[in-house]
Amino acid sequence: MSSPQSYRPQVSNDLSGRVALVTGGGTGIGLMISQGLAAAGAKVYITGRRLEVLEKVAAGWDKQIGGQILALQTDVTDKASIASTKKYIEEKEGKLHILVNNAGQTGPRSPFLSDPSAPENRNAESVGMSLFNNESFEGWAEHYTINSASIFFVTNAFLGLLAKGSEDEAGYWSSVINITSISGVIKLAQEHFCYNSAKAAATHLTKMFSTELALKNIPVRVNSIAPGIYASEMTLDEIKPEQVDQVGKGVQAVPSKRAGTGQEMAGTVVYLVSRAGGYVHGQEIIIDGGYTAVNPSTI
C-alpha cells in the first residue's frame, strides 16, 4: 500500500530527475508546457527550427524556480535532423522520460467558409470549386507532414530512449504526449479542412501507438491533449474574452467565455507524465472551456 506521503500533490507531480523533450517548445502552447515541466523539476530540451527563439527562452528561465530548459535546434519534418537530435540526447542523457510532440502549424485556409454572405457560398458548385481552386495538394501534403507524420517519426526515433527511461523506477513509465486540438474532434471545418483532419489523424496515431506498444510489451505510455482556445503563434499572442469566439469559429459560444491559461495547459501535461497520471494509457484529454460540449463533435 502507498504511503500517505505519496498522495501529496507535490510528491505525485514531482518531475525531479526526469528528462523531457518538447518539440516546438519555444513559443505558444509549447512554451507553456516547457516551463511547466521545468517548474515541476524536469530537465527540458526544447526544439524548433529557430535557434535564436529557443536560446532566448532557455537563457530567460529562472533556475531558482526549478528544473532546466535547454535549446536544441531540430526540424521535425527532416529525418536527418530528428536522428541528429536523438543522437545528442542519447550521448548527453542516455535515456528520455518525457516526449511532447507539440510542433505544428495552421495549414491551408479558406476564410470564406465562415461568411454566409460570401459569393463562394452561393451554391454547391461555387462552394466546391472555390475550395478546389483555393487549396493545393502540395499545401495539404506539407501540412500533414508536420501535424501528423512528424509525430510518427519523432516518436519512433526516441522509442528506445523512452523505454530506457522506464527502467529507472518500477511502474513509473516514460510518457509520450501528443498535442492535438479540439479541431480534430469538431465536425466544423473552422475555415481549415486540412488542419482539422490532420489533427484527427494525430489523435488516432496516439491510440495506435498506445495499443501497438502495449501489445509489444514496450513500457511507454502514449496519450494526447486536445487544447481549445489558447494564445499561440497560430492564433493570437493574447486572446481577450471578446476574441475567444472569433478564434474558435463555433456555432455556439465557448461556455467559459475566456481562453485557456498556461497553468491549465502545463498542469494537464504534468499530470499525465507524472506519477499522478501513471495509469492513463491511450487517452485524449480535451481542455477547451466547454467548446465541445456545445458544438458538434465526434465525442
Side-chain angles (χ1 to χ4, degrees):
M1 185 174 179
S2 301
S3 67
Q5 172 130 352
S6 67
Y7 295 110
R8 294 168 58 195
Q10 61 266 44
V11 174
S12 60
N13 292 325
D14 182 19
L15 299 179
S16 298
R18 308 297 275 182
V19 180
L21 179 73
V22 181
T23 69
T27 60
I29 287 174
L31 178 58
M32 297 175 192
I33 294 168
S34 301
Q35 292 175 332
L37 292 172
K43 183 178 185 180
V44 185
Y45 289 91
I46 57 174
T47 76
R49 295 173 178 173
R50 296 171 295 175
L51 183 59
E52 67 280 3
V53 173
L54 304 174
E55 289 178 335
K56 183 177 179 180
V57 170
W61 178 248
D62 184 355
K63 293 183 176 62
Q64 291 184 345
I65 296 174
Q68 300 178 61
I69 295 181
L70 304 167
L72 193 54
Q73 188 174 31
T74 308
D75 181 352
V76 297
T77 67
D78 182 88
K79 290 179 70 173
S81 182
I82 296 169
S84 177
T85 298
K86 183 263 182 86
K87 182 180 180 181
Y88 183 89
I89 297 296
E90 188 170 27
E91 292 176 350
K92 287 288 185 179
E93 308 294 343
K95 59 190 173 185
L96 188 66
H97 301 106
I98 300 163
L99 170 62
V100 181
N101 288 308
N102 167 74
Q105 60 189 32
T106 55
R109 299 182 72 98
S110 292
F112 59 83
L113 284 170
S114 294
D115 181 5
S117 64
E120 293 90 342
N121 294 321
R122 186 172 59 255
N123 54 42
E125 177 70 12
S126 62
V127 170
M129 291 311 299
S130 294
L131 286 168
F132 182 88
N133 292 324
N134 189 55
E135 302 187 15
S136 68
F137 277 102
E138 293 78 13
W140 274 64
E142 180 183 357
H143 186 67
Y144 264 77
T145 296
I146 188 167
N147 274 31
S148 54
S150 69
I151 292 174
F152 174 83
F153 288 102
V154 173
T155 301
N156 282 312
F158 284 93
L159 194 56
L161 292 180
L162 287 161
K164 188 73 175 175
S166 293
E167 297 175 5
D168 284 356
E169 186 176 337
Y172 190 10
W173 289 10
S174 296
S175 185
V176 176
I177 304 295
N178 297 323
I179 304 303
T180 58
S181 172
I182 59 166
S183 293
V185 297
I186 287 296
K187 290 187 281 187
L188 300 167
Q190 298 171 301
E191 298 183 356
H192 36 56
F193 273 91
C194 183
Y195 178 83
N196 292 26
S197 59
K199 285 299 185 179
T203 293
H204 197 59
L205 273 170
T206 298
K207 299 179 186 301
M208 287 193 292
F209 265 119
S210 181
T211 296
E212 289 288 349
L213 299 187
L215 292 174
K216 291 172 175 56
N217 296 312
I218 296 173
V220 177
R221 294 187 301 113
V222 185
N223 294 287
S224 59
I225 296 173
I229 312 305
Y230 282 78
S232 72
E233 286 189 323
M234 291 192 292
T235 55
L236 298 169
D237 292 336
E238 178 185 359
I239 301 176
K240 299 176 181 178
E242 62 270 21
Q243 296 174 306
V244 169
D245 296 318
Q246 297 171 25
V247 174
K249 301 185 187 304
V251 293
Q252 296 290 334
V254 176
S256 291
K257 297 180 172 60
R258 64 172 176 84
T261 67
Q263 184 179 43
E264 290 160 343
M265 173 57 63
T268 305
V269 174
V270 170
Y271 158 69
L272 281 174
V273 304
S274 69
R275 292 175 182 84
Y279 213 48
V280 183
H281 288 247
Q283 302 301 306
E284 180 163 79
I285 297 181
I286 297 174
I287 45 176
D288 67 350
Y291 187 109
T292 52
V294 297
N295 282 286
S297 71
T298 59
I299 56 170

